[in-house]
Amino acid sequence: MITLKEALKLSKEELAKFKDELKAKIEANSDINAYIDVNNLGDGVPIAIKDNIQVKDWSVTSGSNILQGYIAPYNATVIEKMLSAGLSAFGRTNMDEFAMGSTTESSFYGKTLNPHNKDCVPGGSSGGSAAAVASGLAIAALGSDTGGSIRQPASFCGIVGMKPTYGRVSRYGLGAYASSLDQIGPMTQNVEDAAILYDIISGHDKKDSTCANRNDKVSDKLNSERKLRIAVLPKHIQNASEDVKKAYALAIEALKSAGHEIVERELMDAKFDISAYYITATAEATTNLARYDGIRYGNRVVGKDLNDTFIQTRSQGFGDEVKRRILLGNFVLSSGYYEAYYVKAQKTRHLIKDQYSKIFEEVDLILSPVAPTTANKFGELSTPMEMYLSDLYTISVNLAGLPAISVPVSKSSDGMPIGLQLIANAYDEQVLFDGALSLEKEINYKK
Ligand code: GLN
């Protein structure tokens, strides 16, 4: 598959031909179920778009039954920015319902398969985007990351996935899951393409009040020769599988031989991250999902009166995982428990942020696993709790609002990809991409 950098140099005619071939290839590989819809709208470089990002006049459903029939009335800001840069929205990719999950199994459209082993999950919630790029069915894709949904599927599928600093990329037109955590980001074949797509979609937007007034770009200034001080986490990685630990050791050696300085640091026990995240995310999700009432958007199940219409619509429209989170979110926000759960989670979130700030006073980057294991088999995580616990390496980054990038590093003994993430201080995307490029080069060199 050609890279985004190469595709941006193609003529209109070459692109049109490429897109026809791509469409045929997607149809031939429909068993992967990476896309839920392909619709060659514009004449730019085709980019795969997660089904929670609005493209004007196109269906947008966040992988849910409740939004069947809903057509986006306007473009998300990231889509507007893509169009002005010569890119176009080519297909909508599969995802966990409302981006809640780590496997893409909760989608209304059925599961997406991992191209490296079709018995395995592609990760989630941006599993369709990851599988599309990994199987040569997309040049690049957009995903969204609330607690790891770009980085973890990127790691499971062997591609690059980047979550920007909170506020770098406008959320206008993104279906909200947890508004204080969500960020849209690039999912690509390599680090340079991630930097190019990041540059295109980032920047100030007056339509999103949480969007920072910063417009600095990275891709023209990429420098893999820059020597950095990188923290590793000897205690934190003890929760990972042997395969992931081996990949971690390999990456440390690669970074050392690229001339970076490695220092050891520690993070607080990840059980605090998981509690703080699942309280914060479900509280915000409950609030965001209240708007799906059968009146304003998508599907409606007509009941015997208005209240019954709300109940029937929501009971039939939402899947089990979404309902579980609505219940949990309402519980932690209820007056009797608000102080005990929600307020405590916000305090914990501050502690998590502070521990990162302290580390970043002394280092440029942190190297961390993305997931404790490689992609699991379908149905292998038997309880929701098991799935939540598997987010231990990604969610603190969202709670702290930091940028991070997952880079493929090696494969497990059974051939499944393993990505590791570099984490940078807020708004230090240049350092993040420089370090990631250096890791990518050195690891490729080793191969
Ligand atoms: N797995 C996490 C969750 O289910 C993260 C999902 C995401 O980043 N959208 O909440």
Side-chain angles (χ1 to χ4, degrees):
M1 173 58 71
I2 56 167
T3 63
L4 177 56
K5 191 181 181 183
E6 290 160 355
L8 283 164
K9 294 185 193 129
L10 295 182
S11 68
K12 243 186 174 164
E13 294 70 33
E14 286 169 322
L15 263 179
K17 187 166 163 265
F18 172 81
K19 284 202 259 194
D20 286 341
E21 289 163 8
L22 184 60
K23 230 174 159 174
K25 201 173 164 194
I26 291 168
E27 272 155 33
N29 289 280
S30 58
D31 63 322
I32 292 176
N33 202 25
Y35 288 92
I36 60 182
D37 194 20
V38 176
N39 181 357
N40 200 347
L41 284 177
D43 50 16
V45 173
I47 305 293
I49 309 294
K50 188 175 180 178
D51 191 38
N52 58 356
I53 299 171
Q54 294 206 152
V55 180
K56 191 174 184 318
D57 297 333
W58 202 349
S59 154
V60 59
T61 70
S62 284
S64 181
N65 183 19
I66 210 165
L67 275 172
Q68 294 304 307
Y70 181 69
I71 305 294
Y74 59 87
N75 277 329
T77 295
V78 290
I79 301 296
E80 286 293 333
K81 286 182 184 280
M82 270 180 32
L83 293 174
S84 354
L87 273 47
S88 72
F90 181 76
R92 311 209 58 91
T93 53
N94 202 13
M95 59 183 282
D96 279 302
E97 187 179 4
F98 286 108
M100 297 170 184
S102 314
T103 63
T104 314
E105 287 169 292
S106 73
S107 168
F108 172 69
Y109 305 94
K111 60 194 184 191
T112 294
L113 311 185
N114 189 314
H116 295 270
N117 178 346
K118 292 180 179 170
D119 294 327
C120 290
V121 304
S125 63
S126 314
S129 290
V133 174
S135 54
L137 302 180
I139 297 172
L142 292 186
S144 67
D145 193 312
T146 305
S149 279
I150 288 176
R151 290 161 287 152
Q152 184 256 27
S155 170
F156 281 9
C157 290
I159 66 162
V160 171
M162 188 261 176
K163 178 225 168 268
T165 304
Y166 184 80
R168 272 288 194 192
V169 176
S170 169
R171 292 181 295 109
Y172 182 73
L174 168 70
Y177 165 9
S179 310
S180 76
L181 302 163
D182 300 338
Q183 271 292 285
I184 298 170
M187 303 178 75
T188 57
Q189 302 169 60
N190 60 50
V191 173
E192 189 179 18
D193 275 2
I196 292 170
L197 191 49
Y198 162 80
D199 275 355
I200 291 171
I201 61 171
S202 61
H204 183 241
D205 178 18
K206 61 178 188 319
K207 293 186 188 133
D208 172 2
S209 62
T210 63
C211 195
N213 196 1
R214 297 192 185 227
N215 297 297
D216 39 313
K217 302 297 171 195
V218 296
S219 59
D220 286 347
K221 290 176 284 187
L222 285 178
N223 176 7
S224 62
E225 295 306 312
R226 184 167 170 187
K227 303 302 171 219
L228 303 168
R229 177 185 265 203
I230 301 175
V232 296
L233 313 164
K235 210 167 119 210
H236 207 50
I237 66 152
Q238 293 314 316
N239 295 313
S241 71
E242 287 310 312
D243 279 327
V244 173
K245 282 184 194 155
K246 258 190 225 158
Y248 198 76
L250 188 77
I252 293 176
E253 283 319 306
L255 290 169
K256 275 186 190 159
S257 69
H260 302 294
E261 183 193 349
I262 303 293
V263 296
E264 294 190 355
R265 290 290 180 277
E266 272 322 322
L267 296 174
M268 69 166 94
D269 194 323
K271 70 181 181 206
F272 298 113
D273 305 355
I274 292 172
S275 310
Y277 173 82
Y278 276 96
I279 291 169
T280 307
T282 56
E284 293 184 20
T286 267
T287 314
N288 280 324
L289 294 177
R291 62 171 67 100
Y292 301 110
D293 54 8
I295 307 300
R296 287 171 289 188
Y297 308 94
N299 248 340
R300 175 183 306 163
V301 183
V302 181
K304 56 182 190 295
D305 53 30
L306 186 60
N307 223 6
D308 194 44
T309 296
F310 293 154
I311 292 170
Q312 296 303 331
T313 298
R314 288 170 67 85
S315 299
Q316 295 179 39
F318 289 132
D320 287 349
E321 186 55 36
V322 175
K323 285 180 191 160
R324 185 175 298 119
R325 297 192 188 205
I326 291 173
L327 289 174
L328 192 55
N330 275 302
F331 175 74
V332 299
L333 289 177
S334 61
S335 60
Y337 294 102
Y338 180 82
E339 294 283 337
Y341 293 103
Y342 186 76
V343 171
K344 224 181 239 175
Q346 299 323 300
K347 289 180 181 166
T348 309
R349 185 173 185 177
H350 273 283
L351 293 177
I352 291 168
K353 216 173 165 169
D354 288 348
Q355 68 165 358
Y356 276 115
S357 303
K358 242 193 178 140
I359 294 175
F360 285 121
E361 280 170 15
E362 294 167 346
V363 310
D364 299 301
L365 294 171
I366 299 172
L367 178 71
S368 158
V370 173
T373 63
T374 54
N376 51 282
K377 298 238 159 66
F378 286 106
E380 203 174 39
L381 301 180
S382 49
T383 64
M385 196 58 174
E386 260 182 80
M387 187 176 76
Y388 302 166
L389 290 173
S390 74
D391 291 332
L392 84 159
Y393 289 121
T394 46
I395 52 189
S396 64
V397 168
N398 300 72
L399 287 166
L402 303 175
I405 186 167
S406 172
V407 179
V409 162
S410 70
K411 284 192 172 180
S412 64
S413 39
D414 54 357
M416 295 309 284
I418 302 173
L420 298 176
Q421 63 179 333
L422 288 167
I423 306 165
N425 205 355
Y427 301 107
D428 260 352
E429 272 85 357
Q430 187 71 57
V431 176
L432 185 72
F433 280 112
D434 288 350
L437 194 60
S438 163
L439 176 63
E440 178 183 63
K441 275 191 176 167
E442 195 67 27
I443 288 281
N444 272 335
Y445 175 74
K446 298 253 140 121
K447 267 184 197 158

